[in-house]
mmCIF file of all heavy atoms in Angstrom:
data_model
loop_
_atom_site.group_PDB
_atom_site.id
_atom_site.type_symbol
_atom_site.label_atom_id
_atom_site.label_comp_id
_atom_site.label_asym_id
_atom_site.label_seq_id
_atom_site.Cartn_x
_atom_site.Cartn_y
_atom_site.Cartn_z
ATOM 1 N N LEU O 79 -0.956 23.153 -7.100
ATOM 2 C CA LEU O 79 -1.346 21.781 -6.742
ATOM 3 C C LEU O 79 -2.347 21.848 -5.560
ATOM 4 O O LEU O 79 -3.330 21.085 -5.575
ATOM 5 C CB LEU O 79 -0.111 20.951 -6.368
ATOM 6 C CG LEU O 79 -0.352 19.473 -6.038
ATOM 7 C CD1 LEU O 79 -1.135 18.762 -7.142
ATOM 8 C CD2 LEU O 79 0.967 18.757 -5.785
ATOM 9 N N LEU O 80 -2.113 22.724 -4.614
ATOM 10 C CA LEU O 80 -3.068 22.862 -3.503
ATOM 11 C C LEU O 80 -4.411 23.266 -4.014
ATOM 12 O O LEU O 80 -5.468 22.788 -3.507
ATOM 13 C CB LEU O 80 -2.533 23.919 -2.481
ATOM 14 C CG LEU O 80 -1.399 23.436 -1.571
ATOM 15 C CD1 LEU O 80 -0.815 24.607 -0.797
ATOM 16 C CD2 LEU O 80 -1.857 22.355 -0.622
ATOM 17 N N SER O 81 -4.470 24.128 -5.022
ATOM 18 C CA SER O 81 -5.794 24.553 -5.508
ATOM 19 C C SER O 81 -6.466 23.430 -6.268
ATOM 20 O O SER O 81 -7.675 23.276 -6.226
ATOM 21 C CB SER O 81 -5.702 25.886 -6.243
ATOM 22 O OG SER O 81 -5.529 25.695 -7.605
ATOM 23 N N LYS O 82 -5.688 22.557 -6.932
ATOM 24 C CA LYS O 82 -6.256 21.372 -7.568
ATOM 25 C C LYS O 82 -6.857 20.427 -6.527
ATOM 26 O O LYS O 82 -7.978 19.915 -6.696
ATOM 27 C CB LYS O 82 -5.195 20.678 -8.404
ATOM 28 C CG LYS O 82 -5.692 19.526 -9.223
ATOM 29 C CD LYS O 82 -6.566 20.012 -10.384
ATOM 30 C CE LYS O 82 -7.777 19.145 -10.564
ATOM 31 N NZ LYS O 82 -8.687 19.631 -11.611
ATOM 32 N N VAL O 83 -6.102 20.231 -5.448
ATOM 33 C CA VAL O 83 -6.590 19.359 -4.368
ATOM 34 C C VAL O 83 -7.873 19.947 -3.762
ATOM 35 O O VAL O 83 -8.855 19.209 -3.523
ATOM 36 C CB VAL O 83 -5.518 19.159 -3.268
ATOM 37 C CG1 VAL O 83 -6.069 18.515 -2.032
ATOM 38 C CG2 VAL O 83 -4.359 18.339 -3.817
ATOM 39 N N ALA O 84 -7.909 21.266 -3.596
ATOM 40 C CA ALA O 84 -9.100 21.893 -3.002
ATOM 41 C C ALA O 84 -10.297 21.683 -3.946
ATOM 42 O O ALA O 84 -11.414 21.395 -3.462
ATOM 43 C CB ALA O 84 -8.842 23.408 -2.818
ATOM 44 N N ALA O 85 -10.091 21.790 -5.254
ATOM 45 C CA ALA O 85 -11.175 21.587 -6.207
ATOM 46 C C ALA O 85 -11.698 20.127 -6.088
ATOM 47 O O ALA O 85 -12.910 19.900 -6.111
ATOM 48 C CB ALA O 85 -10.721 21.880 -7.630
ATOM 49 N N LEU O 86 -10.788 19.156 -5.971
ATOM 50 C CA LEU O 86 -11.204 17.760 -5.873
ATOM 51 C C LEU O 86 -11.887 17.497 -4.548
ATOM 52 O O LEU O 86 -12.839 16.699 -4.448
ATOM 53 C CB LEU O 86 -9.989 16.827 -6.044
ATOM 54 C CG LEU O 86 -9.367 16.855 -7.444
ATOM 55 C CD1 LEU O 86 -8.007 16.133 -7.444
ATOM 56 C CD2 LEU O 86 -10.288 16.229 -8.470
ATOM 57 N N ASN O 87 -11.439 18.182 -3.477
ATOM 58 C CA ASN O 87 -12.098 18.049 -2.173
ATOM 59 C C ASN O 87 -13.556 18.406 -2.268
ATOM 60 O O ASN O 87 -14.406 17.833 -1.566
ATOM 61 C CB ASN O 87 -11.421 18.954 -1.138
ATOM 62 C CG ASN O 87 -10.131 18.405 -0.558
ATOM 63 O OD1 ASN O 87 -9.891 17.213 -0.649
ATOM 64 N ND2 ASN O 87 -9.334 19.277 0.031
ATOM 65 N N ASN O 88 -13.871 19.372 -3.184
ATOM 66 C CA ASN O 88 -15.251 19.864 -3.300
ATOM 67 C C ASN O 88 -16.034 19.259 -4.475
ATOM 68 O O ASN O 88 -17.136 19.696 -4.751
ATOM 69 C CB ASN O 88 -15.233 21.377 -3.465
ATOM 70 C CG ASN O 88 -14.727 22.063 -2.200
ATOM 71 O OD1 ASN O 88 -15.150 21.698 -1.089
ATOM 72 N ND2 ASN O 88 -13.830 23.033 -2.331
ATOM 73 N N ASP O 89 -15.409 18.269 -5.129
ATOM 74 C CA ASP O 89 -16.076 17.676 -6.304
ATOM 75 C C ASP O 89 -16.869 16.441 -5.859
ATOM 76 O O ASP O 89 -16.306 15.452 -5.397
ATOM 77 C CB ASP O 89 -14.962 17.287 -7.309
ATOM 78 C CG ASP O 89 -15.498 16.749 -8.605
ATOM 79 O OD1 ASP O 89 -16.658 16.275 -8.624
ATOM 80 O OD2 ASP O 89 -14.764 16.816 -9.624
ATOM 81 N N ASP O 90 -18.168 16.496 -6.043
ATOM 82 C CA ASP O 90 -19.035 15.399 -5.565
ATOM 83 C C ASP O 90 -18.881 14.087 -6.325
ATOM 84 O O ASP O 90 -19.259 13.042 -5.817
ATOM 85 C CB ASP O 90 -20.523 15.845 -5.620
ATOM 86 C CG ASP O 90 -20.843 16.844 -4.518
ATOM 87 O OD1 ASP O 90 -20.072 16.937 -3.559
ATOM 88 O OD2 ASP O 90 -21.864 17.565 -4.690
ATOM 89 N N ARG O 91 -18.335 14.158 -7.527
ATOM 90 C CA ARG O 91 -18.123 12.893 -8.245
ATOM 91 C C ARG O 91 -16.943 12.114 -7.709
ATOM 92 O O ARG O 91 -16.761 10.941 -7.974
ATOM 93 C CB ARG O 91 -17.808 13.184 -9.729
ATOM 94 C CG ARG O 91 -19.018 13.584 -10.586
ATOM 95 C CD ARG O 91 -18.491 14.115 -11.922
ATOM 96 N NE ARG O 91 -17.466 15.127 -11.699
ATOM 97 C CZ ARG O 91 -16.842 15.782 -12.665
ATOM 98 N NH1 ARG O 91 -17.048 15.497 -13.930
ATOM 99 N NH2 ARG O 91 -15.941 16.741 -12.378
ATOM 100 N N ILE O 92 -16.098 12.824 -6.938
ATOM 101 C CA ILE O 92 -14.835 12.232 -6.475
ATOM 102 C C ILE O 92 -14.955 11.815 -5.011
ATOM 103 O O ILE O 92 -15.134 12.681 -4.141
ATOM 104 C CB ILE O 92 -13.674 13.246 -6.689
ATOM 105 C CG1 ILE O 92 -13.524 13.559 -8.177
ATOM 106 C CG2 ILE O 92 -12.370 12.755 -6.072
ATOM 107 C CD1 ILE O 92 -13.222 12.345 -9.057
ATOM 108 N N ASP O 93 -14.835 10.509 -4.756
ATOM 109 C CA ASP O 93 -14.839 10.041 -3.372
ATOM 110 C C ASP O 93 -13.426 9.861 -2.821
ATOM 111 O O ASP O 93 -13.214 9.975 -1.598
ATOM 112 C CB ASP O 93 -15.566 8.678 -3.329
ATOM 113 C CG ASP O 93 -17.020 8.827 -3.704
ATOM 114 O OD1 ASP O 93 -17.755 9.507 -2.945
ATOM 115 O OD2 ASP O 93 -17.425 8.317 -4.761
ATOM 116 N N GLY O 94 -12.492 9.541 -3.697
ATOM 117 C CA GLY O 94 -11.111 9.307 -3.245
ATOM 118 C C GLY O 94 -10.113 10.144 -4.055
ATOM 119 O O GLY O 94 -10.298 10.336 -5.232
ATOM 120 N N ILE O 95 -9.115 10.685 -3.347
ATOM 121 C CA ILE O 95 -8.059 11.484 -4.002
ATOM 122 C C ILE O 95 -6.723 10.850 -3.674
ATOM 123 O O ILE O 95 -6.447 10.598 -2.498
ATOM 124 C CB ILE O 95 -8.057 12.933 -3.485
ATOM 125 C CG1 ILE O 95 -9.438 13.597 -3.699
ATOM 126 C CG2 ILE O 95 -6.947 13.753 -4.142
ATOM 127 C CD1 ILE O 95 -9.590 14.922 -2.953
ATOM 128 N N LEU O 96 -5.939 10.612 -4.728
ATOM 129 C CA LEU O 96 -4.560 10.098 -4.492
ATOM 130 C C LEU O 96 -3.597 10.978 -5.271
ATOM 131 O O LEU O 96 -3.754 11.166 -6.472
ATOM 132 C CB LEU O 96 -4.497 8.645 -4.988
ATOM 133 C CG LEU O 96 -3.131 7.959 -4.825
ATOM 134 C CD1 LEU O 96 -3.313 6.487 -4.526
ATOM 135 C CD2 LEU O 96 -2.276 8.095 -6.071
ATOM 136 N N VAL O 97 -2.663 11.577 -4.563
ATOM 137 C CA VAL O 97 -1.608 12.332 -5.206
ATOM 138 C C VAL O 97 -0.393 11.407 -5.268
ATOM 139 O O VAL O 97 0.155 11.008 -4.220
ATOM 140 C CB VAL O 97 -1.298 13.625 -4.447
ATOM 141 C CG1 VAL O 97 -0.117 14.367 -5.103
ATOM 142 C CG2 VAL O 97 -2.533 14.527 -4.382
ATOM 143 N N GLN O 98 0.034 11.040 -6.480
ATOM 144 C CA GLN O 98 1.124 10.103 -6.610
ATOM 145 C C GLN O 98 2.438 10.694 -6.119
ATOM 146 O O GLN O 98 2.782 11.826 -6.454
ATOM 147 C CB GLN O 98 1.244 9.719 -8.119
ATOM 148 C CG GLN O 98 2.226 8.621 -8.419
ATOM 149 C CD GLN O 98 1.818 7.232 -7.871
ATOM 150 O OE1 GLN O 98 0.618 6.953 -7.713
ATOM 151 N NE2 GLN O 98 2.790 6.403 -7.553
ATOM 152 N N LEU O 99 3.122 9.920 -5.330
ATOM 153 C CA LEU O 99 4.453 10.304 -4.791
ATOM 154 C C LEU O 99 5.538 9.554 -5.575
ATOM 155 O O LEU O 99 5.264 8.438 -6.063
ATOM 156 C CB LEU O 99 4.518 9.940 -3.308
ATOM 157 C CG LEU O 99 3.414 10.552 -2.415
ATOM 158 C CD1 LEU O 99 3.601 10.096 -0.976
ATOM 159 C CD2 LEU O 99 3.422 12.080 -2.497
ATOM 160 N N PRO O 100 6.719 10.034 -5.665
ATOM 161 C CA PRO O 100 7.214 11.293 -5.125
ATOM 162 C C PRO O 100 6.768 12.502 -5.936
ATOM 163 O O PRO O 100 6.504 12.373 -7.143
ATOM 164 C CB PRO O 100 8.734 11.096 -5.225
ATOM 165 C CG PRO O 100 8.964 10.207 -6.381
ATOM 166 C CD PRO O 100 7.774 9.255 -6.397
ATOM 167 N N LEU O 101 6.731 13.650 -5.267
ATOM 168 C CA LEU O 101 6.437 14.920 -5.952
ATOM 169 C C LEU O 101 7.731 15.597 -6.303
ATOM 170 O O LEU O 101 8.783 15.312 -5.708
ATOM 171 C CB LEU O 101 5.595 15.803 -5.013
ATOM 172 C CG LEU O 101 4.155 15.365 -4.814
ATOM 173 C CD1 LEU O 101 3.509 16.110 -3.674
ATOM 174 C CD2 LEU O 101 3.330 15.522 -6.097
ATOM 175 N N PRO O 102 7.711 16.524 -7.288
ATOM 176 C CA PRO O 102 8.954 17.265 -7.577
ATOM 177 C C PRO O 102 9.470 17.977 -6.308
ATOM 178 O O PRO O 102 8.694 18.324 -5.412
ATOM 179 C CB PRO O 102 8.497 18.297 -8.598
ATOM 180 C CG PRO O 102 7.255 17.750 -9.203
ATOM 181 C CD PRO O 102 6.594 16.916 -8.131
ATOM 182 N N ARG O 103 10.773 18.176 -6.272
ATOM 183 C CA ARG O 103 11.407 18.632 -5.040
ATOM 184 C C ARG O 103 10.967 20.000 -4.552
ATOM 185 O O ARG O 103 11.023 20.306 -3.360
ATOM 186 C CB ARG O 103 12.954 18.614 -5.219
ATOM 187 C CG ARG O 103 13.418 17.211 -5.381
ATOM 188 C CD ARG O 103 14.709 16.810 -4.714
ATOM 189 N NE ARG O 103 15.619 17.854 -4.385
ATOM 190 C CZ ARG O 103 16.895 17.874 -4.798
ATOM 191 N NH1 ARG O 103 17.329 16.935 -5.621
ATOM 192 N NH2 ARG O 103 17.705 18.824 -4.403
ATOM 193 N N HIS O 104 10.482 20.827 -5.480
ATOM 194 C CA HIS O 104 10.037 22.188 -5.047
ATOM 195 C C HIS O 104 8.667 22.171 -4.390
ATOM 196 O O HIS O 104 8.185 23.208 -3.938
ATOM 197 C CB HIS O 104 10.072 23.165 -6.258
ATOM 198 C CG HIS O 104 9.076 22.780 -7.315
ATOM 199 N ND1 HIS O 104 9.378 21.898 -8.344
ATOM 200 C CD2 HIS O 104 7.796 23.185 -7.547
ATOM 201 C CE1 HIS O 104 8.351 21.769 -9.146
ATOM 202 N NE2 HIS O 104 7.363 22.549 -8.687
ATOM 203 N N ILE O 105 8.020 20.997 -4.308
ATOM 204 C CA ILE O 105 6.708 20.942 -3.666
ATOM 205 C C ILE O 105 6.857 20.171 -2.365
ATOM 206 O O ILE O 105 7.441 19.061 -2.324
ATOM 207 C CB ILE O 105 5.678 20.213 -4.577
ATOM 208 C CG1 ILE O 105 5.474 21.022 -5.862
ATOM 209 C CG2 ILE O 105 4.354 20.035 -3.834
ATOM 210 C CD1 ILE O 105 4.508 20.390 -6.853
ATOM 211 N N ASN O 106 6.326 20.725 -1.275
ATOM 212 C CA ASN O 106 6.402 20.078 0.052
ATOM 213 C C ASN O 106 5.296 19.023 0.143
ATOM 214 O O ASN O 106 4.090 19.340 0.172
ATOM 215 C CB ASN O 106 6.257 21.157 1.127
ATOM 216 C CG ASN O 106 6.348 20.564 2.521
ATOM 217 O OD1 ASN O 106 5.759 19.544 2.832
ATOM 218 N ND2 ASN O 106 7.107 21.259 3.376
ATOM 219 N N GLU O 107 5.717 17.768 0.181
ATOM 220 C CA GLU O 107 4.793 16.639 0.160
ATOM 221 C C GLU O 107 3.797 16.697 1.330
ATOM 222 O O GLU O 107 2.603 16.461 1.139
ATOM 223 C CB GLU O 107 5.607 15.326 0.277
ATOM 224 C CG GLU O 107 5.413 14.416 -0.917
ATOM 225 C CD GLU O 107 6.486 13.348 -0.984
ATOM 226 O OE1 GLU O 107 6.681 12.603 -0.018
ATOM 227 O OE2 GLU O 107 7.111 13.239 -2.064
ATOM 228 N N GLU O 108 4.326 17.052 2.488
ATOM 229 C CA GLU O 108 3.453 17.073 3.672
ATOM 230 C C GLU O 108 2.339 18.108 3.516
ATOM 231 O O GLU O 108 1.181 17.839 3.913
ATOM 232 C CB GLU O 108 4.361 17.407 4.882
ATOM 233 C CG GLU O 108 3.741 16.941 6.197
ATOM 234 C CD GLU O 108 4.640 17.298 7.356
ATOM 235 O OE1 GLU O 108 5.884 17.410 7.193
ATOM 236 O OE2 GLU O 108 4.112 17.481 8.453
ATOM 237 N N HIS O 109 2.686 19.280 2.947
ATOM 238 C CA HIS O 109 1.647 20.309 2.761
ATOM 239 C C HIS O 109 0.528 19.760 1.891
ATOM 240 O O HIS O 109 -0.675 20.020 2.126
ATOM 241 C CB HIS O 109 2.250 21.554 2.062
ATOM 242 C CG HIS O 109 3.198 22.300 2.910
ATOM 243 N ND1 HIS O 109 3.966 23.344 2.419
ATOM 244 C CD2 HIS O 109 3.528 22.168 4.235
ATOM 245 C CE1 HIS O 109 4.724 23.826 3.402
ATOM 246 N NE2 HIS O 109 4.487 23.127 4.511
ATOM 247 N N ILE O 110 0.887 18.985 0.858
ATOM 248 C CA ILE O 110 -0.116 18.483 -0.062
ATOM 249 C C ILE O 110 -0.953 17.372 0.596
ATOM 250 O O ILE O 110 -2.195 17.416 0.548
ATOM 251 C CB ILE O 110 0.573 17.923 -1.360
ATOM 252 C CG1 ILE O 110 1.429 19.007 -2.011
ATOM 253 C CG2 ILE O 110 -0.468 17.345 -2.313
ATOM 254 C CD1 ILE O 110 0.744 20.258 -2.408
ATOM 255 N N LEU O 111 -0.272 16.443 1.232
ATOM 256 C CA LEU O 111 -1.003 15.314 1.831
ATOM 257 C C LEU O 111 -1.933 15.829 2.923
ATOM 258 O O LEU O 111 -3.082 15.331 3.094
ATOM 259 C CB LEU O 111 -0.045 14.266 2.407
ATOM 260 C CG LEU O 111 0.851 13.569 1.372
ATOM 261 C CD1 LEU O 111 1.776 12.548 2.030
ATOM 262 C CD2 LEU O 111 0.041 12.914 0.268
ATOM 263 N N ASN O 112 -1.525 16.837 3.648
ATOM 264 C CA ASN O 112 -2.361 17.407 4.731
ATOM 265 C C ASN O 112 -3.571 18.147 4.192
ATOM 266 O O ASN O 112 -4.514 18.442 4.934
ATOM 267 C CB ASN O 112 -1.556 18.316 5.639
ATOM 268 C CG ASN O 112 -0.549 17.548 6.475
ATOM 269 O OD1 ASN O 112 -0.420 16.338 6.354
ATOM 270 N ND2 ASN O 112 0.190 18.261 7.314
ATOM 271 N N ALA O 113 -3.537 18.543 2.902
ATOM 272 C CA ALA O 113 -4.611 19.328 2.315
ATOM 273 C C ALA O 113 -5.761 18.418 1.788
ATOM 274 O O ALA O 113 -6.843 18.929 1.508
ATOM 275 C CB ALA O 113 -4.078 20.212 1.199
ATOM 276 N N ILE O 114 -5.491 17.136 1.671
ATOM 277 C CA ILE O 114 -6.517 16.211 1.166
ATOM 278 C C ILE O 114 -7.545 15.977 2.292
ATOM 279 O O ILE O 114 -7.167 15.709 3.420
ATOM 280 C CB ILE O 114 -5.898 14.878 0.732
ATOM 281 C CG1 ILE O 114 -4.967 15.111 -0.468
ATOM 282 C CG2 ILE O 114 -6.943 13.829 0.375
ATOM 283 C CD1 ILE O 114 -4.117 13.891 -0.854
ATOM 284 N N ARG O 115 -8.826 16.107 1.939
ATOM 285 C CA ARG O 115 -9.865 15.879 2.955
ATOM 286 C C ARG O 115 -9.713 14.464 3.532
ATOM 287 O O ARG O 115 -9.659 13.493 2.777
ATOM 288 C CB ARG O 115 -11.246 15.959 2.263
ATOM 289 C CG ARG O 115 -12.099 17.114 2.691
ATOM 290 C CD ARG O 115 -13.330 17.233 1.860
ATOM 291 N NE ARG O 115 -14.260 16.123 2.069
ATOM 292 C CZ ARG O 115 -15.482 16.081 1.521
ATOM 293 N NH1 ARG O 115 -15.855 17.066 0.721
ATOM 294 N NH2 ARG O 115 -16.271 15.061 1.731
ATOM 295 N N PRO O 116 -9.622 14.322 4.853
ATOM 296 C CA PRO O 116 -9.383 12.983 5.434
ATOM 297 C C PRO O 116 -10.407 11.944 4.943
ATOM 298 O O PRO O 116 -10.042 10.791 4.773
ATOM 299 C CB PRO O 116 -9.512 13.228 6.936
ATOM 300 C CG PRO O 116 -9.072 14.645 7.116
ATOM 301 C CD PRO O 116 -9.572 15.388 5.885
ATOM 302 N N ASP O 117 -11.641 12.331 4.690
ATOM 303 C CA ASP O 117 -12.633 11.339 4.287
ATOM 304 C C ASP O 117 -12.550 11.043 2.769
ATOM 305 O O ASP O 117 -13.346 10.243 2.254
ATOM 306 C CB ASP O 117 -14.059 11.787 4.658
ATOM 307 C CG ASP O 117 -14.500 13.050 3.951
ATOM 308 O OD1 ASP O 117 -13.637 13.760 3.412
ATOM 309 O OD2 ASP O 117 -15.700 13.331 3.908
ATOM 310 N N LYS O 118 -11.574 11.659 2.083
ATOM 311 C CA LYS O 118 -11.278 11.290 0.682
ATOM 312 C C LYS O 118 -9.856 10.734 0.550
ATOM 313 O O LYS O 118 -9.394 10.478 -0.563
ATOM 314 C CB LYS O 118 -11.451 12.517 -0.239
ATOM 315 C CG LYS O 118 -12.880 12.973 -0.387
ATOM 316 C CD LYS O 118 -13.069 13.986 -1.536
ATOM 317 C CE LYS O 118 -14.551 14.329 -1.726
ATOM 318 N NZ LYS O 118 -14.732 15.162 -2.961
ATOM 319 N N ASP O 119 -9.182 10.556 1.662
ATOM 320 C CA ASP O 119 -7.758 10.194 1.685
ATOM 321 C C ASP O 119 -7.591 8.673 1.552
ATOM 322 O O ASP O 119 -7.292 7.995 2.533
ATOM 323 C CB ASP O 119 -7.144 10.736 2.986
ATOM 324 C CG ASP O 119 -5.727 10.268 3.201
ATOM 325 O OD1 ASP O 119 -4.975 10.135 2.217
ATOM 326 O OD2 ASP O 119 -5.371 10.045 4.371
ATOM 327 N N VAL O 120 -7.732 8.176 0.347
ATOM 328 C CA VAL O 120 -7.714 6.716 0.131
ATOM 329 C C VAL O 120 -6.314 6.093 0.261
ATOM 330 O O VAL O 120 -6.190 4.875 0.290
ATOM 331 C CB VAL O 120 -8.344 6.346 -1.227
ATOM 332 C CG1 VAL O 120 -9.865 6.465 -1.144
ATOM 333 C CG2 VAL O 120 -7.811 7.209 -2.373
ATOM 334 N N ASP O 121 -5.286 6.910 0.359
ATOM 335 C CA ASP O 121 -3.943 6.424 0.708
ATOM 336 C C ASP O 121 -3.781 6.216 2.210
ATOM 337 O O ASP O 121 -2.893 5.529 2.674
ATOM 338 C CB ASP O 121 -2.876 7.459 0.311
ATOM 339 C CG ASP O 121 -2.210 7.164 -1.030
ATOM 340 O OD1 ASP O 121 -2.022 5.993 -1.356
ATOM 341 O OD2 ASP O 121 -1.838 8.122 -1.715
ATOM 342 N N ALA O 122 -4.658 6.901 2.983
ATOM 343 C CA ALA O 122 -4.551 6.938 4.440
ATOM 344 C C ALA O 122 -3.235 7.525 4.959
ATOM 345 O O ALA O 122 -2.635 7.064 5.905
ATOM 346 C CB ALA O 122 -4.790 5.546 5.069
ATOM 347 N N PHE O 123 -2.796 8.592 4.278
ATOM 348 C CA PHE O 123 -1.542 9.242 4.644
ATOM 349 C C PHE O 123 -1.767 10.519 5.481
ATOM 350 O O PHE O 123 -0.827 11.078 6.013
ATOM 351 C CB PHE O 123 -0.760 9.652 3.397
ATOM 352 C CG PHE O 123 -0.158 8.511 2.588
ATOM 353 C CD1 PHE O 123 0.319 8.732 1.293
ATOM 354 C CD2 PHE O 123 -0.084 7.233 3.106
ATOM 355 C CE1 PHE O 123 0.879 7.698 0.563
ATOM 356 C CE2 PHE O 123 0.460 6.185 2.372
ATOM 357 C CZ PHE O 123 0.942 6.401 1.092
#
Side-chain angles (χ1 to χ4, degrees):
L79 184 54
L80 284 170
S81 91
K82 187 69 222 175
V83 168
L86 293 168
N87 280 342
N88 293 316
D89 184 338
D90 288 341
R91 284 168 308 179
I92 298 302
D93 296 295
I95 303 168
L96 180 145
V97 177
Q98 186 68 28
L99 305 178
L101 288 168
R103 294 219 338 236
H104 64 273
I105 298 178
N106 181 316
E107 241 164 54
E108 203 180 333
H109 292 171
I110 303 302
L111 297 180
N112 290 2
I114 296 171
R115 248 172 68 174
D117 64 344
K118 292 192 176 187
D119 172 35
V120 284
D121 261 327
F123 291 167

